[in-house]
């Protein structure tokens, strides 16, 4: 079972910071993230994950979720913490492909092959406003750009390969024919190359991807190796995985190089009841009624006729593919409701922050994690701890040993690179 | 005396690699640069310097000079080597100001205030070809863009300052009024902000700058704190320093925040004669006649009438301000010849790789370094070792102790940040 863990800010849930240990200035302190990465390393996580927006959300009642640039932060962490990998989020809409290809290949080299790049197309107009006067491009254009961005990056990543060197005469420093221009001339980019960073220890960084809109699935099918997504139930997960793999096959790609590693929010208790109570607190709703009220509000339901114990109609919850906000994040719930008959009272306990929510004892949580993994619905999880460091420590202390005892999780780091550890092939 | 040292590739001089220790694959090995940085740390250098072009020069007879991205490499080195600073070169023409401001502020935070950013406008058409189909903008436009780039970056660097926070009520995570949009709307850039990285340990990174063309001097006068340049003699150095400071004053800036830290190539010998011989070898010319032949060729002189012992006319050597190539690099020689009467035979021993060349024993070199420093012509030097690691080791072992004995150089690291160590004020 592959496990990654998200390390942004004070943890994944916006309101859980009131219940965490630590100082609020942690979020801008590199030593804090080093501490979190060391805890994750103790838990033998494959990688730590930093989501990112290049913009500061300034809601007075919120908290900054994306601060120190993840490319820089993870480079420092790679020099400080061994073995563990790094999922670094980069926008394909707001970076140039040459700088992107060079910097991430540099980090893959510096880290000894421990980089996963999470490509996002950026859906937030606040991000667009930091990169010029032009409006955010429409979703289709952003995904078309993302695909060409990675097509081109792959050309650049292999454009200088010292393995192509012939024997170099003693009066020459190198065989310059080991590098060749890429001469890319596409719809979005014109880049000559070659890259001035050679092929790295992984050939190129592993590519992660998170969108589940139609454009997102296309990108996943074409370039995604690690697919981060919202999977709230087994049937929904099977349907999602099949959709991505079928799209890959239709594009002529071998789907065996795809890993489904959805987000997962775990809240542990000595009993399920304690975990339910923590959920009410960490979510900021305070009670089950509060959870239901939030559900009504967030989905624009009619408050008067609302029956929390009536089965929900999934069609009511399908997100508009044309909405501004990320589509994929909204699909988890409608997929869940399509495959399971659930009331609102049940549904509010099945996800938090759009991700699958597991509430209970460490044993119960481990059982549920193994359930979707052992039949191949998922290849692993991206843990999104409500509170950092508290919920990472708790997970490492209580759940990891159970997974090890069940022989689904390693007892030490294996393999040299992320490709080794995830069983990915190396690019030719 | 402030000292930085350049660490690119196998050393500064293209042909000296034949005489160095180490393997040619060093140039893509992060462990090699760590080793160099540790030697520099032993020598108490203020900073290590990486020049950069985002392009691979594929001359069969040359060697790659810019490989691993310096922003990434220096982030890793900052996590591995204490105290020492990092001069990271970034193109203002081929980066977006928001990403630039965020990434370098992130590195300043991660390194605890040890970042110097060297802003270059990029003069090479090979670089332009990696960033689209547009030609390289004309020099004036590039420098105008560089100035606005830094104007804007400075706004972003101070746009989120936790020191502006009022007391935060216990039910809130932060005082969001500590961050404010910058709403920059200029000739080149429109950026809303605020930056999602707070003010760093230095307020913002120290700004280095290298151009000595008219546009370069304007940029230096407006934004430059550390001025990297070619100064081949005392009178030329005084004239250059005065020019930059006078331009700063004319722009209303206090010139006391400017440090002149020219490049310096040192070749040591047990005797001056040995150093002269090493110069002939490291330059790839093989002999004094070879040095003179190269001089004739590089400056397009008439071979037939050439007298190596005739005094040179400086006007013949003034670079065209409109030439494609960097203008500043060519100014050193004409400035030298304007202030000193020199023959070609003398001139070829005064510079190498466009920088001032010091040839002789450690004692002779230290004397010449102190000569320009003690009367304020320069504030220090950026050592460009012909061979890395060999010439860095030799300098640290032989010249640094003399500088220390002469009480012009520290015996331990002092100050927390580069601003402390260079005596710069902190931005308000």
């Amino acid at each position: 079972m592959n496990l990654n863990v998200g390390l942004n800010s004070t943890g994944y849930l916006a309101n859980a910071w009131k219940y965490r240990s630590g100082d609020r200035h942690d979020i801008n302190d590199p030593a804090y993230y080093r501490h979190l990465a060391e805890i994750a390393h103790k838990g033998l996580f494959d990688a730590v994950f930093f989501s990112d927006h290049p913009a500061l959300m300034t809601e007075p009642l919120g908290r900054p979720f994306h601060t120190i640039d993840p490319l820089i932060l993870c480079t420092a962490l790679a020099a400080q913490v061994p073995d563990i990998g790094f999922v670094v989020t980069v926008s394909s809409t707001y970076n140039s492909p040459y700088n992107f290809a060079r910097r991430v290949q540099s980090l893959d080299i510096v880290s000894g092959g421990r980089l996963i790049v999470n490509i996002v197309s950026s859906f937030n107009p606040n991000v667009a406003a930091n990169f010029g006067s032009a409006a955010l491009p429409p979703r289709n254009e952003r995904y078309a750009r993302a695909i060409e961005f990675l097509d081109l990056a792959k050309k650049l990543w292999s454009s200088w390969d010292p393995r192509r060197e012939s024997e170099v005469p003693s009066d020459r420093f190198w065989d310059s024919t080991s590098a060749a221009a890429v001469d890319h001339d596409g719809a979005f980019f014109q880049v000559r190359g070659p890259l001035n960073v050679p092929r790295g220890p992984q050939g190129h960084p592993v590519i992660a991807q998170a969108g589940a809109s139609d454009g997102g699935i296309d990108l996943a099918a074409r370039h995604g190796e690690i697919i981060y997504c919202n999977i709230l139930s087994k049937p929904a997960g099977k349907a999602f995985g099949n959709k991505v793999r079928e799209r890959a096959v239709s594009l002529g790609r071998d789907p065996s190089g795809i890993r489904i590693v959805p987000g997962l929010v775990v809240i542990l208790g000595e009993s399920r009841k304690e975990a339910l109570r923590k959920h009410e607190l960490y979510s900021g709703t305070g009670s089950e009624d509060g959870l239901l009220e939030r559900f009504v509000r967030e989905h624009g339901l009619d408050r008067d006729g609302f029956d929390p114990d009536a089965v929900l109609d999934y069609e009511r919850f399908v997100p508009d593919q044309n909405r501004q906000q990320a589509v994929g994040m909204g699909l988890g719930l409608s997929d869940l409701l399509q495959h399971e008959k659930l009331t609102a009272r049940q549904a509010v306990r099945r996800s938090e922050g759009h991700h699958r929510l597991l509430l209970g004892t460490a044993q119960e949580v481990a059982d549920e994690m193994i359930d979707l993994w052992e039949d191949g619905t998922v290849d692993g999880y991206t843990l999104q701890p409500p509170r950092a460091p508290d919920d990472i420590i708790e997970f490492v202390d209580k759940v990891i040993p159970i997974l090890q005892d069940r022989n689904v999780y390693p007892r030490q780091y294996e393999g040299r690179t992320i490709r080794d550890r995830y069983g990915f092939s190396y690019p030719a």
Side-chain angles (χ1 to χ4, degrees), chain A:
Chain A
M1 184 186 294
N2 289 108
L3 289 184
N4 303 325
V5 56
L7 298 190
N8 286 83
S9 189
T10 60
Y12 185 63
L13 300 187
N15 294 293
W17 65 265
K18 291 171 191 167
Y19 307 97
R20 75 184 269 276
S21 39
D23 182 278
R24 68 194 177 85
H25 297 293
D26 284 345
I27 64 166
N28 293 316
D29 183 357
Y32 165 69
Y33 295 103
R34 178 180 182 163
H35 176 57
L36 298 185
E38 285 169 344
I39 297 166
H41 182 265
K42 186 184 158 207
L44 304 173
F45 280 87
D46 290 300
V48 296
F49 169 51
F50 289 89
S51 69
D52 194 57
H53 290 286
L56 183 66
M57 307 306 162
T58 52
E59 292 83 8
L61 298 174
R63 78 198 151 127
F65 196 62
H66 307 106
T67 64
I68 305 175
D69 185 90
L71 192 64
I72 300 301
L73 181 58
C74 290
T75 302
L77 293 176
Q80 294 166 329
V81 185
D83 306 310
I84 202 160
F86 299 91
V87 186
V88 173
T89 301
V90 182
S91 169
S92 54
T93 304
Y94 297 110
N95 282 278
S96 67
Y98 191 94
N99 283 341
F100 162 77
R102 184 179 181 208
R103 287 173 181 154
V104 300
Q105 186 83 313
S106 293
L107 174 46
D108 203 40
I109 289 171
V110 161
S111 68
R114 294 191 278 150
L115 180 60
I116 302 160
V117 284
N118 178 36
I119 294 295
V120 297
S121 76
S122 299
F123 60 81
N124 193 316
N126 289 327
V127 171
N130 289 333
F131 293 87
S133 56
L136 189 73
R139 177 176 283 106
N140 286 351
E141 184 182 320
R142 296 201 313 271
Y143 275 110
R145 182 182 153 112
I147 285 174
E148 189 184 326
F149 188 85
L150 285 173
D151 287 343
L152 167 53
K154 286 180 175 176
K155 294 185 203 173
L156 288 168
W157 285 326
S158 62
S159 62
W160 178 19
D161 190 345
R163 300 177 313 176
R164 286 196 294 260
E165 279 199 342
S166 308
E167 200 178 333
V168 177
S170 64
D171 63 336
R172 291 203 179 187
F173 185 79
W174 69 322
D175 175 3
S176 64
T177 66
S178 63
V182 303
D183 290 325
H184 178 92
D185 187 5
F188 295 92
F189 307 112
Q190 294 77 43
V191 173
R192 188 195 290 164
L195 198 67
N196 56 339
V197 177
R199 180 184 160 94
Q202 299 198 96
H204 63 69
V206 170
I207 295 169
Q209 188 279 343
S213 65
D214 289 344
I217 297 282
D218 273 342
L219 179 60
R222 181 144 180 175
H223 287 297
E225 299 182 281
I226 292 176
I227 312 298
Y228 177 66
C229 49
N230 308 47
I231 288 180
L232 305 186
S233 75
K234 183 178 281 201
K238 286 197 185 304
F240 178 81
N242 289 338
K243 189 172 169 184
V244 173
R245 282 183 286 261
E246 281 162 18
R247 194 79 61 96
V249 169
S250 78
L251 292 170
R253 179 177 168 207
D254 176 359
S256 71
I258 292 175
R259 301 287 177 279
I260 308 288
V261 188
L264 185 70
V265 176
V266 168
I267 299 180
L268 295 169
E270 293 302 313
S271 63
R272 178 165 165 87
K273 192 179 163 196
E274 190 194 341
L276 291 172
R277 180 63 191 144
K278 281 187 182 175
H279 176 216
E280 292 156 11
L281 295 175
Y282 298 172
S283 64
T285 61
S287 65
E288 187 156 290
D289 282 347
L291 287 166
L292 288 164
E293 272 167 42
R294 185 184 63 176
F295 186 83
V296 167
R297 191 174 62 246
E298 284 186 349
H299 297 284
L301 304 182
D302 178 9
R303 203 171 294 268
D304 289 339
F306 177 69
D307 176 359
D309 298 304
V311 170
L312 297 164
D313 174 11
Y314 88 91
E315 291 189 337
R316 174 66 187 74
F317 296 90
V318 176
D320 179 0
Q321 283 273 350
N322 296 315
R323 72 176 186 175
Q324 177 72 64
Q325 211 187 329
V327 168
M329 285 297 245
L331 278 170
L333 179 63
S334 60
D335 282 355
L336 172 69
L337 298 177
Q338 186 174 5
H339 292 101
E340 294 186 41
K341 299 277 170 246
L342 293 177
T343 67
R345 195 181 301 282
Q346 293 170 315
V348 296
R349 299 297 194 171
R350 293 292 293 274
S351 76
E352 190 61 43
H354 299 284
H355 284 308
R356 183 177 174 210
L357 173 64
L358 296 184
L359 295 163
T361 64
Q363 194 64 59
E364 288 167 335
V365 164
D367 285 344
E368 295 198 73
M369 289 178 70
I370 293 169
D371 180 44
L372 265 70
W373 173 80
E374 65 187 355
D375 73 349
T377 303
V378 303
D379 298 287
Y381 300 96
T382 300
L383 196 71
Q384 288 290 13
R387 307 166 303 164
D390 310 70
D391 291 313
I392 312 174
I393 294 173
E394 213 170 65
F395 187 90
V396 168
D397 287 348
K398 296 185 177 166
V399 181
I400 293 286
I402 298 173
L403 298 174
Q404 289 170 326
D405 289 345
R406 300 277 291 274
N407 290 317
V408 306
Y409 195 73
R411 292 182 183 274
Q412 61 186 32
Y413 277 103
E414 288 155 12
R416 187 179 54 99
T417 68
I418 297 297
R419 291 196 179 279
D420 292 344
R421 213 167 289 152
Y422 267 86
F424 290 128
S425 62
Y426 284 71

